[in-house]
Amino acid sequence: DSGVTQTPKHLITATGQRVTLRCSPRSGDLSVYWYQQSLDQGLQFLIQYYNGEERAKGNILERFSAQQFPDLHSELNLSSLELGDSALYFCASSVGGSGTKETQYFGPGTRLLVL
Amino acid sequence: EDKVVQSPLSLVVHEGDTVTLNCSYEVTNFRSLLWYKQEKKAPTFLFMLTSSGIEKKSGRLSSILDKKELFSILNITATQTGDSAIYLCAAPPLSGAQKLVFGQGTRLTINP
């Protein structure tokens, strides 16, 4: 158990809908990262937040957005869902996020299925 | 473009064999290379390598980094069926951020 929690575990929804994925980082970690893992794309970095502010952006679609709250939990919002958005969404956390040599610890993931 | 490439993509061996997984990288402002093991769900951290030539070891697993050749290997000796997993290699390319660029992974299957 990495200490990173994600809810829900599974989510099935229809195209065009909007969902919110939630992540709580390990105690003491200030950075939260979101990743998408699909069969054909592998593990792709989406976005990083550090202490409430966006720190780095990866391959995140405009239909997706994220935020990190004062208690450091984070939410990833996916809207206008398409079939291709079906994937495992992972959250990871680390202590810092300012370019130091740190390990990211991954949560169990949320499996999203868009029908 | 920052890139991490792993080989082989898939490997099937018998229990007790020794395996070597490869990872080559081309990232700007290289700082570290990480190895993860992914079984059914989330990747779990194995090693972080920052210095060339220093072997990191954890039980039957070991890893080493060659910064000159931009290369790392992960060795697993006396493999067991529980070692079956996807092994991911990743590197954070940019300073000031911790996004990881992942390789495509090596799917390792250990047959009894």
Side-chain angles (χ1 to χ4, degrees):
Chain A
D1 183 0
S2 67
V4 179
T5 60
Q6 287 186 249
T7 57
K9 283 186 182 177
H10 301 275
L11 196 49
I12 302 175
T13 189
T15 53
Q17 295 297 303
R18 174 190 167 96
V19 298
T20 298
L21 313 184
R22 196 179 190 279
C23 168
S24 292
R26 293 186 321 157
S27 176
D29 284 0
L30 297 178
S31 268
V32 168
Y33 314 78
W34 287 97
Y35 292 87
Q36 179 192 58
Q37 187 175 41
S38 55
L39 281 174
D40 56 343
Q41 292 284 324
L43 201 55
Q44 300 280 320
F45 167 75
L46 295 178
I47 197 163
Q48 177 203 0
Y49 278 82
Y50 174 71
N51 206 20
E53 295 197 1
E54 183 183 302
R55 178 57 66 98
K57 220 167 186 175
N59 302 325
I60 188 165
L61 300 171
E62 282 192 16
R63 300 183 285 109
F64 296 1
S65 65
Q67 54 183 329
Q68 186 179 28
F69 294 87
D71 67 352
L72 301 176
H73 90 270
S74 177
E75 291 181 357
L76 179 67
N77 299 298
L78 316 175
S79 61
S80 303
L81 285 167
E82 301 175 1
L83 296 177
D85 298 328
S86 297
L88 257 178
Y89 290 84
F90 287 109
C91 164
S93 74
S94 68
V95 173
S98 305
T100 55
K101 297 171 184 176
E102 293 178 6
T103 301
Q104 295 179 22
Y105 293 89
F106 282 74
T110 293
R111 185 174 292 281
L112 173 66
L113 181 59
V114 182
L115 299 175
Chain B
E1 185 190 336
D2 298 312
K3 200 164 56 173
V4 175
V5 177
Q6 291 184 246
S7 64
L9 292 179
S10 180
L11 187 56
V12 181
V13 299
H14 288 293
E15 211 168 12
D17 288 351
T18 292
V19 297
T20 298
L21 311 184
N22 305 298
C23 175
S24 65
Y25 61 90
E26 289 177 34
V27 298
T28 53
N29 300 315
F30 175 82
R31 289 166 295 142
S32 59
L33 187 134
L34 297 95
W35 283 96
Y36 288 86
K37 177 183 181 183
Q38 185 174 25
E39 296 175 85
K40 289 180 184 166
K41 272 275 191 108
T44 54
F45 170 75
L46 293 175
F47 297 111
M48 180 167 71
L49 303 159
T50 55
S51 302
S52 230
I54 297 175
E55 187 185 46
K56 291 247 176 144
K57 214 167 158 59
S58 175
R60 296 176 293 103
L61 277 68
S62 64
S63 185
I64 197 160
L65 178 68
D66 185 334
K67 282 164 96 169
K68 188 178 169 191
E69 300 296 328
L70 308 183
F71 192 81
S72 175
I73 60 171
L74 175 69
N75 273 322
I76 309 175
T77 59
T79 52
Q80 301 170 359
T81 54
D83 296 326
S84 296
I86 297 173
Y87 290 84
L88 296 164
C89 164
L94 294 174
S95 61
Q98 281 283 308
K99 72 169 199 170
L100 292 175
V101 175
F102 280 87
Q104 63 273 61
T106 294
R107 181 180 291 277
L108 176 64
T109 304
I110 311 295
N111 287 330

